[in-house]
Amino acid sequence: MTDAAGPWLIVGLGNPGQEYAANRHNVGFMVADLLAGRMGSKFKAHKARAQVVEGRIGAPGLSSRRVVVAKPMSFMNLSGGPVTALRDFYKVPVERIVAVHDELDIDYGTLRLKLGGGDNGHNGLKSMTKSMGPDYHRVRFGIGRPPGRMQVADFVLKDFSSAERKELDYFVDRAADAVESLVVDGLERAQSTYNS
């Protein structure tokens, strides 16, 4: 019954390439990698300039949902192109798209889930919104503000600090749980559990 409406598209935002892999800006990729691991699948290249994994999340049976987990292989500020191509390829309505991304205005490790809204200066969201409007879900992963006078661009393209890395696995795991809850239980239930 759920499959009649097609899959959900979960997009982890980040920059491709090993030099960016551990950056704060790549936390969306980290969550996508964990979700793929939970589904027991490996990413495959897709013609939409993205890496994708297809599978199911949630308990087996009626409550599980078909999902496509994707990592755009363009750079962050061009994410909209691959995401729109995947949306069209898999015929996913925009309200079944979830962007997982870093968020400066939330303390490190804090999550906020929402539907629609502005891009708050985030280039990945800006590109997605320009391509398909703002009415997709967001799982916002707090990374906090840069210390002192550090530029935002420098901060997001740096790796998490050693103190942050001690808790990073836990927070990425929690963000993956929040994505699953959003898709399976709906936004309100997921918000009441994960919006801290």
Side-chain angles (χ1 to χ4, degrees):
M1 168 179 98
T2 48
D3 286 342
W8 283 71
L9 174 59
I10 299 163
V11 181
L13 293 178
N15 285 309
Q18 209 41 53
E19 68 271 35
Y20 300 106
N23 288 179
R24 291 181 177 93
H25 221 20
N26 269 42
V27 74
F29 274 19
M30 297 173 196
V31 175
D33 287 338
L34 181 58
L35 286 166
R38 287 180 179 186
M39 292 190 294
S41 303
K42 295 229 182 309
F43 281 96
K44 296 182 175 68
H46 190 280
K47 64 182 180 184
R49 285 182 314 155
Q51 298 274 328
V52 300
V53 163
E54 296 178 47
R56 301 188 81 86
I57 59 177
L62 286 177
S63 67
S64 79
R65 300 282 185 272
R66 275 178 61 213
V67 294
V68 177
V69 178
K71 298 190 294 186
M73 290 289 114
S74 59
F75 280 88
M76 179 72 86
N77 58 350
L78 299 171
S79 300
V83 176
T84 304
L86 290 168
R87 176 200 69 185
D88 295 346
F89 181 85
Y90 290 103
K91 299 177 175 51
V92 180
V94 74
E95 65 276 7
R96 280 179 171 248
I97 296 173
V98 182
V100 185
H101 63 92
D102 57 306
E103 178 65 63
L104 287 160
D105 287 336
I106 304 175
D107 290 340
Y108 173 62
T110 300
L111 296 175
R112 293 270 191 287
L113 284 68
K114 68 176 193 169
L115 174 61
D119 57 54
N120 206 16
H122 191 289
N123 289 330
L125 297 182
K126 205 174 281 182
S127 178
M128 282 180 63
T129 296
K130 189 174 169 196
S131 292
M132 58 190 188
D135 298 328
Y136 51 91
H137 286 88
R138 296 103 191 274
V139 174
R140 304 154 71 206
F141 186 110
I143 59 168
R145 301 290 308 177
R149 293 205 172 96
M150 187 189 285
Q151 294 295 311
V152 164
D154 295 334
F155 179 70
V156 298
L157 293 176
K158 280 204 175 359
D159 291 358
F160 286 99
S161 70
S162 53
E164 288 170 335
R165 279 199 299 271
K166 287 188 174 77
E167 297 181 293
L168 183 60
D169 287 348
Y170 168 76
F171 289 138
V172 168
D173 196 63
R174 196 161 181 271
D177 290 347
V179 171
E180 292 187 356
S181 175
L182 169 61
V183 171
V184 174
D185 305 322
L187 179 61
E188 281 183 25
R189 275 188 61 189
Q191 283 175 323
S192 68
T193 306
Y194 294 97
N195 279 15
S196 28

